[in-house]
Amino acid sequence: MRVLLIGANGYIGRFVADRLLADPAVQLTALGRGDDADVRFDLATGSPGALTRFLDAVHPGVVVNCAGATRGGARELTRHNTVAVATVCEALRRSGCGARLVQVGCGSEYGPSQPGSSTAEDAVPRPGGPYGVSKLAATELVLGSGLDAVVLRVFSPAGPGTPAGSPLGRLAEAMRRAMQSGDGELKLGGLGVQRDFVDVRDVARAVHAASLSAAQGVINIGSGRAVRLRDAAAVLARVAGYGGALHELDAPPGPLRSAIGHPRVDADHASPVAYPYPDGCGSWQQADVRTARDRLGWRPRINLEESLADIWMEAACRI
């Protein structure tokens, strides 16, 4: 099976590449903006016609799109998350390869949900920020394209390779700094939110399964269990061997708010302060993952403690 992977150098894409390369039946070609891609192509600026010619030459059976941006203004997010997907869909429609499309979406497309509930694929999306809006627009383009396509809505990925600027990455970095400086307490904010964390290696398994399946539409990929961030912080402290106290602070109003683990000098507190989860999903998010089980034969295998241990291992190795 010939697979064209877009975004192989990204957080999720690296693990998808490893998973696909481990399948002897897969012949993988990576397309991206970096020098190490098999083919250099920028989806945000490249034309559908140019991509069509490449598809006709390679003739993949599956196209997996892991590319996109998680940060930036609305214009940049739209360019990398929506316009890029429009280019992929149009190129696939023009091409004679007939490839199946596996699009990696995100749980932020749903926006806030009722505490205690599990969000199923038929929930009405109400994204709470420009990132979720840009990813939802991409999903709608895929679903309306007429292609053989599936969108995997990945909730909160965790594990090795977690970006240092992400909430869990910042939490680990704040803990590393506290241990390095000998601080006996760590002040954190926004730990009351609950998220559905799923290990990035399990996400890669889901992408692999979707590539081989005939499933179409939207499929949630998560653990099926919401975890409070203060509990994740406690687990991280345990695996890190941090014996200090974790103090939770209320978030300040207005523009002082920032992401978990992002240090801020507070006049009333000597230690760094960190504030909430910036994904536009409110206080609670939990995936209903029954569709992934039924249609992909997929279940998460890696627990959060192992994911956090890997995040900590990488944070601890930073100088």
Side-chain angles (χ1 to χ4, degrees):
M1 179 176 66
R2 292 183 179 178
V3 178
L4 174 65
L5 175 60
I6 305 171
N9 288 329
Y11 172 35
I12 291 176
R14 290 195 298 271
F15 290 92
V16 171
D18 289 344
R19 179 74 188 185
L20 293 173
L21 286 170
D23 184 346
V26 170
Q27 181 181 337
L28 185 66
T29 301
L31 181 148
R33 291 179 291 170
D35 292 336
D36 53 350
D38 296 320
V39 177
R40 292 190 65 182
F41 189 87
D42 187 345
L43 287 178
T45 58
S47 71
L51 183 56
T52 299
R53 290 190 290 275
F54 174 71
L55 289 171
D56 288 339
V58 175
H59 213 79
V62 178
V63 173
V64 176
N65 183 27
C66 295
T70 59
R71 299 180 182 278
R75 177 177 294 181
E76 184 178 6
L77 291 169
T78 300
R79 187 161 59 93
H80 288 287
N81 295 337
T82 309
V83 174
V85 172
T87 297
V88 172
C89 290
E90 180 60 24
L92 282 169
R93 279 195 296 264
R94 296 182 188 181
S95 173
C97 69
R100 171 174 173 77
L101 174 61
V102 179
Q103 165 72 12
V104 176
C106 71
S108 293
E109 296 174 42
Y110 289 116
S113 55
Q114 186 68 27
S117 67
S118 291
T119 302
E121 289 84 358
D122 59 357
V124 177
R126 294 184 176 89
Y131 172 64
V133 169
S134 68
K135 292 294 286 186
L136 176 60
T139 291
E140 295 299 331
L141 285 170
V142 171
L143 297 181
S145 67
L147 300 169
D148 173 14
V150 62
V151 177
L152 303 183
R153 275 191 179 142
V154 178
F155 277 60
S156 297
T162 293
S166 71
L168 287 180
R170 288 179 173 178
L171 179 59
E173 178 61 18
M175 195 166 293
R176 184 192 69 80
R177 289 197 308 269
M179 294 178 70
Q180 190 175 46
S181 61
D183 290 341
E185 62 178 12
L186 183 59
K187 294 181 174 70
L188 302 164
L191 297 185
V193 303
Q194 299 183 63
R195 289 292 179 269
D196 187 326
F197 296 105
V198 57
D199 193 274
V200 67
R201 291 160 291 194
D202 281 333
V203 174
R205 287 178 44 246
V207 172
H208 187 203
S211 300
L212 299 174
S213 79
Q216 296 185 339
V218 173
I219 299 178
N220 290 341
I221 303 298
S223 69
R225 182 174 70 95
V227 175
R228 198 177 301 273
L229 284 203
R230 74 168 61 96
D231 296 331
V235 172
L236 186 62
R238 185 172 71 250
V239 300
Y242 177 64
L246 300 178
H247 293 298
E248 186 173 357
L249 304 173
D250 292 332
L256 292 179
R257 184 182 299 261
S258 61
I260 291 241
H262 184 72
R264 181 179 66 83
V265 177
D266 191 304
D268 299 322
H269 303 284
S271 302
V273 182
Y275 292 103
Y277 217 97
D279 59 1
C281 293
S283 64
W284 171 277
Q285 200 175 48
Q286 177 175 285
D288 182 330
V289 293
R290 289 176 294 180
T291 301
R293 179 195 64 200
D294 296 342
R295 299 176 66 189
L296 300 182
W298 176 90
R299 296 175 187 266
R301 294 177 181 172
I302 300 172
N303 62 39
L304 182 57
E305 182 167 350
E306 183 175 344
S307 301
L308 290 170
D310 288 326
I311 292 173
W312 172 249
M313 184 66 68
E314 292 180 347
C317 290
R318 295 192 191 107
I319 298 175

